Amino acid sequence: MPKELPPVEELLTAVVTALGGTERPGQVKMAQAVRQAVEDGEHLAVQAGTGTGKSLAYLVPAIKHAAETGDAVVISTATIALQRQLVDRDLPRLADALADRLPHRPEFAILKGRRNYLCRHKMSADVPDDEDDQLFDPREVGATGRMVQRILEWANETETGDRDELVPGVSDQAWRQFSVSARECLGAQRCPSGADCFAELARERAGEADVVVTNHALLAIDAMEDLSVLPDHDVVVVDEAHELVDRVTSVVTGELSENGVALAARRVGRLIEQGLADRLQEAGEDLRALLAVAPPGRIDDLPRSLGATLALVRDAASACRTALGSRGKDDQEAAARKAASGMLDDVHDTAQRMLDAFGPPSGDGTGDDSGGDPGDCAPEVDRAEVVWLDPANEHGRGRIPPTLRVAPLSVGGMLRDKLFGERTVILTSATLAIGGTFDGLARQWGLGTDDWTGLDVGSPFDHPHRGILYVAKHLPQPGRDGLPEAYLTEITELIEAAGGRTLGLFSSMRAAKAATEALRERLEVPLLCQGDDSTSQLVKQFSADPATCLFGTLSLWQGVDVPGPSLSLVIIDRIPFPRPDDPLTSARQRHVAAKGGNGFMTVAATHAALLLAQGAGRLLRSMDDRGVVAVLDPRLATARYSGFLLNSLPPFWRTTDPVKVREALRRLSSGAGA
């Protein structure tokens, strides 16, 4: 009979003691709840504020479960930063601390999607890359060439082939020449380099580990596409769980553009009768011409011309796929066929999915070019997916053409059936209780009222005595024409009172840049703006100099951890509602309303509450921190939904008095305390 392992409380104490830390009541409570949920096979949502030590609170019971059962536990995160924290810092120290108390030293591994690993076969074979035949800026080609050379040199040294270990990083354009997707991969048995495949070696390491760290995207692929990417497991811990729905939605969003169709046609044109490839090329050109003149935004009714063009693309891709077959004369041709086959499948399946999104057709299956009779398609409220057109834009190395996209109205059903239905799931984050309740996110996850338990273990921070939430009630409501002069004046006065030390979180990059440009002429303190350098470098500069301010947008709302005197003021320019014209958000909002619910509160206000909570959470990052969160949008004090948003924020002391706030910031800046 195997020896009984120590209780979770004893293991947690051993780890905290070994790390020189102090056990916190919220951490113990969370660890006990995770242990109980795993033992009972029940889903658990845990809100654990910054400073709780939630990583150890779920890692210790996870490792104990793995040691008792021999089954791996999967930890899924939304960001690379947390993955690296777990693998490089938390898990090694935890393994050392528990080695003498468990049957063996806990083993852990990190596992990512195949695209993140160097493909030895693609390096050695003449497999065409994923780039089109556009002309590039010569300077850009030169930069890419230098990156390619660095990859080749690094390939002779790396033991993992993991892209994230190549520092400094390289562009997607350079990396794609040495990596393959799951659909392009020949498979370990057929590939000449299968025995030395970095992706397969990573999977082997994961198969031997007690804890496997991955990301939400790969977790979704493993659960929903039945690819068995991850090792067998019966417990999943989803950290940064507030991001789960968005990350899963990104994974299952399909896209179709002239570039994708043209690239598939070129790939397959080398392997089949040219006439069939030309037919696909021509269908892509028809799509390009149609999208070039189509209005961007959500497509509620399928125009006849678009339906016909999507059918042409679908049928041409199907004909090419049939002609292609699956066997090549040699390894090189087999790889080329697999790559072409994967691209054709993507084109075909996405075109069919877009047609299916409008429901069973009537007559010839399409509406007319003016939008058609809604009766031609399924009523919008009953549609499961949304189709929209993104306009052309400049991005990265060049121009992205108009692109059709399709995404589900909700991923809750997929998560319920594929993730929660197969295993025990622990969901945790510092921000899960939106409007004071877990129900909103639980609905998005597809969980019913009896499917899960919620627990808020609080935060060790004394929010009412360490932080002030200031709402600038006297300011005008924000408009669409940039920051009003009153806002710029308010920001100037706040930053001067704080002596710098400010993180400015803006609802758009345009607003962040406009504020930076205007305030650099008014302020004497250094002012950095996202985009001036890499985000990590900017955060490093901001942390190093207390007088410096940093302005930016979305990634800074959730990705900045700056404890200490360099950050005592967080400014939020407006409530971060999603754009009214965002196709997916507006469709979800309208769908809820059509079912009798409150679409604004369920979708837009919940989105805003999550981001507000994340942004406000940047202020207190250690027990000694103190300062002010200043929200310039007066609607947080006056609108009918303000209570819902305020209940989503940490319990700071609240005021709308600008004089009191500036006095508090001056005292803090002078070292007298708030």
Side-chain angles (χ1 to χ4, degrees), residues 155-322:
N156 294 321
E157 306 169 357
T158 179
E159 296 181 359
T160 65
D162 185 341
R163 179 181 179 178
D164 289 331
E165 295 184 7
L166 179 57
V167 179
V170 296
S171 67
D172 289 344
Q173 180 188 353
W175 183 256
R176 277 196 296 265
Q177 298 181 48
F178 300 96
S179 67
V180 296
S181 67
R183 278 189 167 181
E184 295 172 306
C185 178
L186 286 172
Q189 301 303 316
R190 292 188 60 194
C191 180
S193 303
D196 300 316
C197 173
F198 286 122
E200 292 298 324
L201 291 173
R203 289 186 64 184
E204 288 178 14
R205 287 192 292 271
E208 299 170 355
D210 299 292
V211 175
V212 179
V213 179
T214 188
N215 55 61
H216 294 350
L218 194 62
L219 179 70
I221 291 170
D222 179 79
M224 296 178 188
E225 298 187 11
D226 298 321
L227 292 178
S228 299
V229 179
L230 298 168
D232 290 339
H233 58 283
D234 60 355
V235 174
V236 176
V237 178
V238 180
D239 203 342
E240 302 173 309
H242 63 280
E243 295 238 37
L244 180 63
V245 168
D246 285 346
R247 298 301 173 110
V248 172
T249 299
S250 295
V251 168
V252 296
T253 296
E255 64 176 52
L256 197 62
S257 70
E258 60 169 288
N259 281 5
V261 178
L263 182 54
R266 280 197 301 278
R267 280 285 186 89
V268 77
R270 304 181 178 106
L271 302 166
I272 65 172
E273 178 190 337
Q274 189 60 45
L276 287 174
D278 289 344
R279 178 180 160 196
L280 180 59
Q281 179 75 35
E282 291 166 2
E285 292 171 358
D286 289 347
L287 182 67
R288 176 186 61 193
L290 189 64
L291 299 186
V293 297
R298 191 179 65 234
I299 302 173
D300 290 334
D301 301 304
L302 181 64
R304 183 185 304 275
S305 55
L306 179 57
T309 303
L310 287 173
L312 280 175
V313 170
R314 175 200 62 195
D315 295 344
S318 179
C320 290
R321 182 69 181 83
T322 300

